[in-house]
Amino acid sequence: MAGTIQNLFTIIQFGGPLVGGVLALGATVAMPVVRRSDRKKGLRAVQMQGLLWGVIVAPLGTEIVQFILNNVVVGGTSCGF
């Protein structure tokens, strides 16, 4: 069980920034090509959400869950990363 939890949060920790970075980079590259202002607003939203959730929230959430599993949960030493 502890191995499964560790693998799940490893995917979140490394996959979140990867997906968020790709979305933000794609939106940045596509923005000069798009002419309509409503689509540019959408791309800016994708860019900001990719940076926010992928680069900031996913690693921070992993650290918080790691702290909870290591320090708060009874028997947390078996769930340590």
Side-chain angles (χ1 to χ4, degrees), residues 9-81:
F9 287 106
T10 301
I11 289 171
I12 293 171
Q13 184 178 13
F14 295 117
L18 179 66
V19 172
V22 167
L23 286 174
L25 182 63
T28 303
V29 169
M31 215 172 296
V33 177
V34 175
R35 290 183 180 260
R36 294 179 53 177
S37 64
D38 59 335
R39 288 192 183 164
K40 282 190 179 188
K41 285 182 183 178
L43 285 174
R44 282 192 193 103
V46 168
Q47 183 182 26
M48 294 280 63
Q49 291 293 320
L51 286 175
L52 179 69
W53 288 99
V55 178
I56 297 171
V57 174
L60 185 62
T62 304
E63 292 297 322
I64 291 169
V65 171
Q66 181 179 359
F67 173 77
I68 290 171
L69 288 176
N70 287 335
N71 298 320
V72 177
V73 177
V74 176
T77 56
S78 64
C79 295
F81 293 124

Side-chain angles (χ1 to χ4, degrees), residues 1-10 78-81:
M1 181 72 175
T4 303
I5 293 171
Q6 180 180 4
N7 291 339
L8 178 69
F9 287 106
T10 301
S78 64
C79 295
F81 293 124

